[in-house]
């Protein structure tokens, strides 16, 4: 032990080793070591530079708890607990040596290598400590391998919550996760969302900072700067690293700094902030440095600003101060030294000699101020947790305990499942082998130049702060603001600038997006049935878009359709009036009237494409167009075949003309219509046009159009009419008529040619359109086809019937080929 103040010191040193029925090992941070790494031949020669009163108080707290238990008549009656305490010097190498000693077989200095350690009896039954998380991560692996209970009174790293890796590790302090949750609530209550975080470069600092960063990311708290400071201040680069950290904090322009570090790194950072003129900030700390006199005794520490922090909420230990005072008053007594030498002789103290040769003198006055601050209860609770588990494992009653051998691993079950009491307060290890007693919020209040740790709040799942008791460093004593961003206008979201920063630009939401929350960092898309203009805070219902009846374009097309229908109707009446004249008979007679009626229906079918479409209307559009066009072409087909027989096959004409004239010509018309009706049925079966509700083509409207479901069915439906048109074109385009005679073939040629050309353009445009122009294209195709047939085949004949009746004679209308055939 790092104690050296004459005979009294030797006596006190001996008091930290005591035999008993069950030995508890203790690991406490008494001092800071300087290990000569080159002296590998003598690894046990260690020197302590500085004595830490906290470590001494914790060790005395363990001894006090064991003395209480040994003097108890109800807890472990008849059983004496011994202890064997060693200094960790905050170094893994130093902590490892007594840890290995604790694992040796009882009564020896060797560790047995066995296949089964069930009956293995180590030197100690359980281990109390160490304090730091770094050391616990090392020692917990050793003790967990032997399933020796290890109870730490200060290690808070969340890595130690992994009970699969560390099944025998316990702690009597809350984990870092609870601490970070409390810090996030503190920042929220004061509205601080632009902060810096600094951590010591060790397991405690890195782990706590990582938890803090993960929670701030989901709580709208922005990190302006995150950094690490060296845990070992003797490193050559430590000073430069501390100075760079202060410069970066200053450049981030934050008013709040969250510091996760032990006392020495924290003191070094605060000292550099004062020397470099950082300016007053709100420092949020943890128990690791908040209650340390090392940080609080830094020269001119008041100039750093406001210090707030969380410390574990722990009760007092009744009688402990009196116990320590009595112990120190006994150091100079010969009887005390005699008993110490006797106890020391019962324990093999030469096994591990870590006696400090260069330690400062320690008196009661040195440690008395820290007795009021240092938390001793976690040490006491750790000792009592082992004692209660041992009491239950032995099967003790309130009067006696059986003298039966107990292995360390047998204590784990009772420590995992059963609660225990200490000074009337109930404790229990949770599923992560920890205890959560809550936190107190501490404020550094300066009175007559000395710091007073003033409780100003409590945290236990929720945070309560007495803000009126906190006097901040600002002129009005109110909390300072710590924000980077400006308030965005409605409909603007925050676009982050840089990496891991909270500063941002306000950017307008684009069309069809809206800002769902003022704290959002992106705009939310509207549902597909809704839309939104740019910079919107809500979505609007989409209006339906189709070809309306009242639209100018629709009115113009319907007017043209009505004109086409009127021309078809007038032409049909005119043909019907002159039905038996040579010109009408040559054009097909009654079949021509039927063709005009089909054109009339085709023009009227344009109304199917205007107005709100439906599934039935979509299916009917293509059917009506194909059927009406086929009805017209069916009346032209017999005439085209009649002409080609007379011109191309004059020898076969006499016996074949009967199939394309008179009554059999009507049979050909009916057959053609029946084929088209059959194709319409196939179109309905394979895939008729369907109603498509398109939310993507238009920004603020929903487009209702008829979409082609099956292009194969579409081709089958309209391909037949195009084949009829092509056949009629081939039958008539080469026919020559002598002068002064009417050429009926030329009208069929131009009518079918117009239809084929229109269909070529129609297919190219129709296949690529997904707007209301799709319906317009179909109307234009219908009208172009109908007007093309009227203009090229029927209207010239109407002109002769009305204005040149003198040409309506058999001499003018009879083909030369017919005369030759006769």
């Amino acid at each position: 032990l790092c104690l050296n103040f004459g005979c009294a010191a030797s006596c006190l040193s001996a008091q930290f080793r005591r035999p008993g029925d069950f030995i508890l090992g203790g690991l406490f941070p008494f001092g800071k070591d300087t290990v000569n790494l080159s002296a590998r031949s003598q690894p046990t020669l260690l020197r302590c530079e500085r004595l830490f009163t906290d470590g001494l108080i914790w060790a005395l707290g363990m001894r006090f708890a064991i003395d209480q238990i040994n003097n108890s008549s109800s807890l472990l009656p008849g059983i004496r607990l011994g202890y064997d305490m060693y200094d960790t010097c905050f170094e893994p190498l130093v902590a490892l040596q007594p840890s290995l000693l604790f694992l040796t077989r009882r009564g020896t200095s060797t560790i047995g290598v066995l296949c089964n350690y069930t009956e293995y009896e180590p030197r100690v039954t359980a281990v109390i400590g160490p304090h730091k998380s770094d050391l616990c991560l090392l020692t917990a692996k050793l003790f967990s391998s032997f399933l020796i209970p290890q109870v730490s009174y200060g290690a808070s790293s969340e890595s130690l919550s992994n009970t699969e890796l560390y099944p025998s590790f316990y702690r009597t302090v809350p984990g870092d996760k609870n601490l970070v949750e409390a810090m996030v609530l503190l920042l929220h209550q004061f509205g601080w969302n632009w902060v810096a975080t600094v951590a010591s470069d060790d397991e405690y600092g890195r782990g706590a900072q990582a938890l803090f960063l993960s929670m701030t990311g989901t709580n709208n708290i922005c990190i302006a700067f995150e950094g690490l400071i060296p845990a070992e201040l003797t490193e050559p680069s430590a000073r430069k690293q501390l100075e760079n950290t202060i410069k970066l904090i200053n450049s981030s322009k934050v008013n709040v700094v969250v510091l996760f570090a032990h006392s020495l790194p924290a003191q070094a950072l605060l000292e550099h902030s004062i020397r470099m003129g950082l300016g007053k900030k709100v420092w949020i700390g943890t128990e690791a440095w908040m209650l340390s006199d090392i940080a609080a005794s830094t020269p001119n520490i008041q100039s750093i600003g406001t210090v707030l922090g969380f410390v574990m909420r722990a009760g007092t230990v009744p009688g402990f101060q009196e116990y320590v005072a009595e112990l120190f008053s006994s150091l100079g007594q010969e009887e005390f030294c005699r008993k110490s030498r006797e106890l020391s002789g019962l324990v093999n103290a030469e096994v591990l000699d870590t006696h400090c040769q260069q330690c400062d003198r320690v008196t009661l006055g040195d440690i008395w101020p820290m007795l009021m601050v240092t938390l001793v209860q976690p040490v006491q609770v750790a000792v009592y947790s082992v004692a209660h588990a041992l009491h239950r494992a032995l099967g003790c009653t309130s009067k006696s305990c059986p003298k039966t051998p107990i292995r360390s691993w047998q204590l784990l079950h009772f420590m995992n499942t059963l609660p225990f009491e200490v000074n009337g307060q109930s404790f229990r290890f949770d599923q992560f082998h920890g205890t959560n007693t809550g936190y107190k919020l501490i404020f550094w209040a300066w009175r007559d130049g000395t710091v007073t740790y003033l409780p100003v709040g409590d945290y236990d799942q929720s945070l309560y702060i007495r803000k009126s008791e906190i006097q901040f460093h600002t002129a009005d004593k109110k909390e300072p603001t710590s924000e980077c961003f400006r308030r965005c206008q409605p409909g603007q979201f925050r676009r982050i600038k840089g990496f891991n920063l909270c500063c941002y630009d306000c950017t307008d939401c684009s069309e069809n997006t809206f800002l769902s929350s003022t704290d959002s960092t992106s705009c939310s898309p509207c549902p597909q049935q809704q839309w939104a203009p740019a910079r919107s805070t809500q979505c609007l219902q989409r209006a339906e878009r189709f070809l309306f009846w009242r639209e100018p374009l629709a009115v113009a097309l319907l007017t043209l359709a009505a004109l086409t229908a009127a021309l078809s109707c007038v032409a049909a009446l005119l043909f019907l009036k002159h039905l038996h004249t040579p010109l009408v008979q040559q054009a097909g007679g009654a079949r021509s009237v039927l063709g005009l009626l089909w054109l009339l229906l085709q023009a009227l079918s344009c109304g199917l494409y205007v107005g709100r479409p439906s599934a039935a209307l979509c299916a009917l559009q293509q059917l009506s167009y194909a059927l009406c066009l086929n009805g017209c072409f069916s009346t032209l087909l017999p005439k085209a075949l009649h002409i080609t027989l007379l011109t191309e096959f004059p020898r076969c004409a006499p016996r074949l003309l009967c199939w394309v004239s008179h009554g059999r010509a009507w049979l050909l018309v009916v057959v053609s219509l029946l084929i088209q009706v059959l194709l319409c049925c196939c179109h309905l079966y394979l895939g008729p046009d369907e109603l498509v509700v398109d939310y993507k083509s238009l920004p603020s409207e929903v487009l209702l159009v008829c979409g082609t479901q099956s292009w194969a069915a579409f081709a089958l439906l309209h391909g037949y009419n195009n084949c009829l048109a092509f056949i009629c074109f081939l039958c008539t385009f080469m026919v020559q008529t002598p002068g002064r005679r009417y050429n009926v073939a030329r009208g069929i040629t131009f009518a079918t040619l117009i239809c084929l050309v229109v269909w070529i353009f129609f297919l190219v445009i129709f296949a690529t359109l997904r707007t209301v122009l799709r319906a317009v294209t179909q109307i234009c195709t219908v009208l172009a086809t109908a007007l093309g047939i009227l203009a090229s085949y029927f209207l010239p004949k109407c002109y002769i019937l009305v204005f040149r009746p003198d040409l309506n004679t058999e001499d003018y209308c009879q083909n030369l080929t017919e005369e030759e055939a006769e």
Side-chain angles (χ1 to χ4, degrees), residues 628-646:
C628 291
L629 187 60
N630 181 267
C632 183
F633 281 153
S634 297
T635 60
L636 298 180
L637 180 61
K639 190 62 181 178
L641 294 176
H642 186 273
I643 292 172
T644 195
L645 285 174
L646 292 176

Side-chain angles (χ1 to χ4, degrees), residues 564-581 584 589-600 790 794-795 797-799 801-802 808:
T564 304
L567 288 175
S568 301
C569 185
V570 170
L573 293 175
L574 192 59
F575 269 55
L576 188 61
K577 180 179 179 181
H578 302 86
L579 183 61
H580 299 289
T581 60
V584 175
R591 295 193 302 274
S592 297
V593 177
L594 179 62
L596 286 167
L597 292 177
W598 282 114
L599 289 180
L600 171 64
L790 281 174
F794 291 104
L795 290 185
K797 298 174 179 59
C798 293
Y799 175 78
L801 293 175
V802 176
N808 190 4

